[in-house]
Amino acid sequence: MLSNVIPILLAGLLTENMILSKFLGICPFLGTSKKIDTAFSMSVAVTLVMIIATAVTYPLYAYVLTPLNLQYLQTLLFILVIAAIVQLLEITLKKYIKSLYNALGIYLPLITTNCAVLGITMLNFTKGYNYFESLVNALAAGLGFMLAMVIFAGVRERLDRSDIPEFLKGLPITLIAAALVSLSFLGFAGIGG
Amino acid sequence: MKNNKYLSFFTNGIIKENPVLRLMLGTCPTLAVTTAAINGIGMGVAATLVLIGSNLVISLLRNIIPDKVRIPAYITIIAGFVTIVQMLVKAFLPAIDASLGIYLPLIVVNCIILGRAEMFASKNPVLPSVLDGLGMGIGFTATLTLMGAIRELIGAGTLLGLPVTVNFINPMIVMLLPPGGFFVFGILVAVSNKLASAKGKKTVDCNSCGNCPMKDSCKIESEVATDAQ
Amino acid sequence: MNSILFFKKYFDVFKAIIVLTVVCLVISAALAVTNNITKDKIAEMERASATAAMEALIPNGEYTKTDLSNIKEIENADIYTVSKGDTTVGYIVTTAAKGYGGDVKVMTAVSSDKKVIGVNILSAADETPGLGQNATKPDFYNQFKNKTSGVTVVKNGAENNEINAVTGATITSRAVTNAVNEALGQLEVYLNSITPVTPEIEFDMEVQYEE
């Protein structure tokens, strides 16, 4: 079992990083990575939703859609399930775990349209993972998301204090910095392969 | 006069409000699939078809769908069109399906489509909505194709699969890899900002949340949650 | 009276539920219709591309998919018997191995004397463009011709049963090689299952005991 888990974790964290190599979840990556603590909270919320979404969508696809030969409803069903999960999670946190809601609540509605969440629920099937491996994959992808967000937030906090050519100010320099962070992650190629 | 108005619905998305370079929407597919110009065209056309279809239907239903459930309703409609386009691509253009892979079904969460549904189709009649979808789609396709062409030319020395510089310049493969995507996009945004500021327009800033289609619903959804309490 | 009040109060909720349900039903129906129209076409395209790939490896044969449901050792592989007239000219095996970004699907044509006739990379879309995807070029996959079970990858200077890796894409090269070795192994299992091992070996052992 462990021999399956480690390659999946390494892939999710480093070589197949959601943001830096699969380009999923770029909007929150650019939008909420200005400060390290915001980046961290956003990634915790994303990881949480990814795991719950995988836990729900996997059995739905494997034991409901596949036996009924309705695989073509995958996209429709998955996105609605994710939207429902996000909404329910928000209401539950607000009612029962107020402190967690205060920390993560404002990020939750943004996650519905986060392609990283829908992406991971679909990738579980294209990669042929079983239920347990899919859950590990969701955790790994979430942690990879967090790693990229936190590292990049650190880079951006320094970027704010740098002298940048006028025409590169703002988004362009942010994207170029992302290119350099992504380049450094290329160095992990082959780990766990 | 009237014709001009319709024309502007159409041209709006191509340059003035180019979804990728001016509104900062749909960045994920822009970065992910543009390793070759042909992929940019494929993704662009697929998204355009979805955009026209969803804008048409959402505009038709704009007075029927209650405000509270509009986001789930829009998502359902968009997911329907995405799946239809996906099945058609699989049936008639399997090569495009293989190269776009998972990014084809992910059009459903492409912010351009939900964004136009929220900002335009839900407030405008059918014809302008369709024209808006077409214009936005063309703007998206053009940007993706341009970016795909740049990355393919520098990274592989070819253009649409035909050799251009590959025979006498060693291609810079890094342009096809993820860092190349971020880099080329950064440069494109810089050029677009430069052109915009030369015309006295606002440059796009880092806060991509500003144009996120969920921006308004963030507040609305927490209000719904308050009501439920 | 009460029921009217009740209805008024919850009218918005009912309306929302009904609209959402109707939208869902209509969209699902539209999908079912499209699926019905396109599914034959999709299956036909898949069959046509599979046949074209097999034609490229062993031309003008008759390709019969073998029933592997009784052989539990064979997993994730398809075996086709290729015959011309009444004679079996070879076998085509499809296998997959984990590459850099996902599975690399490979079709291997094997002659009756268990040598590789040719290799066709069916899908390497998840491999890195410009590096791993170069494995789909003939320069690489033609190296497998006439190799036998247990092919290994070297960086360069391949001899005997070795092949040269694609520059900068050792993982993809290894994946293709693994898939080819897997194909040869699975075919061996299949051939053994249809022609049981002759009892000669047991006979030898008995002789040894007597000595």
Side-chain angles (χ1 to χ4, degrees):
Chain A
M1 206 181 236
L2 203 65
S3 62
N4 291 344
V5 170
I6 291 172
I8 296 177
L9 280 174
L10 283 175
L13 272 175
L14 306 172
T15 54
E16 290 173 35
N17 190 286
M18 268 288 142
I19 295 174
L20 297 171
S21 99
K22 295 241 179 256
F23 294 121
L24 297 174
I26 298 295
C27 292
F29 178 59
L30 296 175
T32 57
S33 66
K34 272 188 189 146
K35 289 201 186 100
I36 290 181
D37 48 346
T38 330
F40 183 75
S41 307
M42 180 70 188
S43 335
V44 172
V46 167
T47 312
L48 202 62
V49 174
M50 271 182 181
I51 295 173
I52 302 175
T54 301
V56 177
T57 53
Y58 191 98
L60 272 179
Y61 185 79
Y63 305 114
V64 180
L65 292 188
T66 311
L68 294 174
N69 243 335
L70 292 172
Q71 287 96 332
Y72 60 87
L73 289 181
Q74 189 193 33
T75 314
L76 181 59
L77 186 72
F78 280 21
I79 187 71
L80 288 178
V81 166
I82 292 168
I85 288 173
V86 170
Q87 192 82 72
L88 288 175
L89 194 67
E90 197 189 347
I91 295 170
T92 318
L93 285 186
K94 195 166 190 180
K95 204 151 194 180
Y96 299 107
I97 319 173
K98 201 80 188 178
S99 58
L100 203 58
Y101 177 79
N102 290 337
L104 305 179
I106 50 163
Y107 304 105
L108 282 172
L110 297 169
I111 293 175
T112 315
T113 50
N114 182 341
C115 42
V117 178
L118 184 62
I120 203 73
T121 58
M122 291 181 163
L123 279 172
N124 287 331
F125 294 100
T126 51
K127 294 214 167 218
Y129 289 147
N130 63 30
Y131 192 45
F132 175 72
E133 286 166 343
S134 299
L135 289 173
V136 175
N137 189 34
L139 173 70
L143 293 178
F145 190 87
M146 186 182 293
L147 185 68
M149 288 281 277
V150 172
I151 290 178
F152 194 59
V155 173
R156 274 180 83 169
E157 285 187 359
R158 281 162 186 254
L159 218 51
D160 282 346
R161 294 192 289 271
S162 320
D163 187 20
I164 297 159
E166 188 60 38
F167 74 105
L168 285 179
K169 267 190 185 144
L171 195 62
I173 195 69
T174 313
L175 285 164
I176 291 166
L180 295 176
V181 176
S182 158
L183 193 63
S184 69
F185 269 63
L186 273 189
F188 293 116
I191 282 188
Chain B
M1 179 61 200
K2 205 166 182 217
N3 279 337
N4 270 343
K5 205 174 76 188
Y6 283 115
L7 193 69
S8 78
F9 289 133
F10 171 66
T11 54
N12 202 13
I14 301 176
I15 295 168
K16 210 169 85 198
E17 282 189 27
N18 183 295
V20 184
L21 294 172
R22 300 291 304 154
L23 301 182
M24 284 312 293
L25 296 172
T27 37
C28 297
T30 305
L31 291 164
V33 302
T34 52
T35 51
I38 187 76
N39 291 352
I41 298 174
M43 171 53 90
V45 172
T48 307
L49 292 176
V50 175
L51 199 49
I52 294 172
S54 68
N55 263 10
L56 171 76
V57 173
I58 288 167
S59 165
L60 274 174
L61 300 177
R62 68 185 188 281
N63 296 325
I64 300 171
I65 297 174
D67 209 38
K68 271 188 183 173
V69 293
R70 66 180 199 289
I71 297 286
Y74 295 168
I75 289 177
T76 313
I77 293 164
I78 294 167
F81 277 105
V82 168
T83 314
I84 290 172
V85 168
Q86 193 187 1
M87 288 193 271
L88 292 175
V89 171
K90 265 206 174 94
F92 299 101
L93 299 162
I96 296 279
D97 177 59
S99 63
L100 295 183
I102 188 177
Y103 297 99
L104 192 54
L106 284 182
I107 294 177
V108 76
V109 278
N110 186 326
C111 316
I112 295 176
I113 297 170
L114 193 58
R116 289 330 280 176
E118 269 281 83
M119 285 185 267
F120 200 91
S122 61
K123 295 169 192 145
N124 287 287
V126 175
L127 187 60
S129 297
V130 170
L131 289 174
D132 177 76
L134 184 64
M136 285 286 162
I138 291 174
F140 183 58
T141 311
T143 317
L144 254 63
T145 311
L146 174 67
M147 203 166 135
I150 295 173
R151 287 178 74 184
E152 189 184 345
L153 186 65
I154 309 178
T158 59
L159 207 53
L160 291 167
L162 303 168
V164 180
T165 58
V166 67
N167 295 324
F168 48 92
I169 302 173
N170 219 358
M172 292 165 62
I173 291 166
V174 73
M175 281 299 167
L176 298 180
L177 300 174
F182 282 116
F183 183 76
V184 173
F185 191 44
I187 299 296
L188 274 185
V189 174
V191 172
S192 137
N193 274 353
K194 183 89 188 163
L195 293 175
S197 66
K199 281 191 165 185
K201 301 246 173 62
K202 232 182 81 193
T203 57
V204 290
D205 63 359
C206 284
N207 190 4
S208 65
C209 276
N211 289 305
C212 173
M214 302 301 280
K215 190 186 68 172
D216 296 331
S217 51
C218 272
K219 279 180 243 146
I220 288 160
E221 279 184 16
S222 49
E223 272 168 26
V224 171
T226 325
D227 290 346
Q229 269 188 337
Chain C
M1 195 63 198
N2 255 345
S3 66
I4 295 171
L5 270 179
F6 178 82
F7 188 76
K8 259 192 177 164
K9 194 174 170 195
Y10 288 99
F11 177 74
D12 282 350
V13 178
F14 283 132
K15 193 185 167 198
I17 292 172
I18 290 165
V19 169
L20 211 49
T21 315
V22 170
V23 167
C24 270
L25 287 177
V26 171
I27 293 288
S28 304
L31 290 187
V33 171
T34 320
N35 181 54
N36 253 334
I37 298 168
T38 54
K39 72 171 182 230
D40 292 339
K41 181 79 186 162
I42 293 173
E44 187 193 311
M45 287 297 256
E46 277 168 5
R47 249 195 326 272
S49 74
T51 316
M54 288 194 276
E55 278 280 340
L57 291 172
I58 308 178
N60 305 323
E62 196 158 302
Y63 313 99
T64 324
K65 193 172 181 177
T66 52
D67 178 22
L68 301 171
S69 54
N70 296 326
I71 313 168
K72 63 173 188 299
E73 292 92 341
I74 300 184
E75 280 180 343
N76 308 322
D78 285 327
I79 299 178
Y80 294 82
T81 312
V82 188
S83 51
K84 284 181 184 169
D86 286 338
T87 46
T88 300
V89 291
Y91 303 90
I92 287 177
V93 190
T94 58
T95 45
K98 202 185 170 323
Y100 185 67
D103 274 356
V104 180
K105 280 191 194 133
V106 178
M107 189 178 256
T108 313
V110 189
S111 64
S112 304
D113 57 348
K114 292 166 197 167
K115 277 187 177 166
V116 175
I117 298 174
V119 167
N120 197 333
I121 318 272
L122 295 180
S123 97
D126 292 331
E127 302 310 290
T128 319
L131 293 171
Q133 284 193 0
N134 285 346
T136 58
K137 291 184 178 166
D139 286 356
F140 173 72
Y141 65 72
N142 279 345
Q143 294 184 81
F144 285 99
K145 264 182 195 154
N146 294 323
K147 296 283 187 286
T148 52
S149 184
V151 187
T152 47
V153 186
V154 292
K155 293 242 158 148
N156 48 42
E159 38 189 46
N160 296 330
N161 219 22
E162 294 172 341
I163 53 132
N164 289 325
V166 176
T167 316
T170 324
I171 298 173
T172 311
S173 311
R174 215 182 287 145
V176 176
T177 312
N178 287 345
V180 171
N181 284 331
E182 171 97 355
L184 290 163
Q186 303 280 39
L187 183 65
E188 186 89 40
V189 174
Y190 167 70
L191 292 177
N192 286 342
S193 77
I194 51 169
T195 46
V197 182
T198 42
E200 265 178 67
I201 301 161
E202 286 171 38
F203 197 73
D204 271 0
M205 282 166 77
E206 268 180 35
V207 174
Q208 278 178 345
Y209 270 113
E210 272 178 349
E211 279 175 358

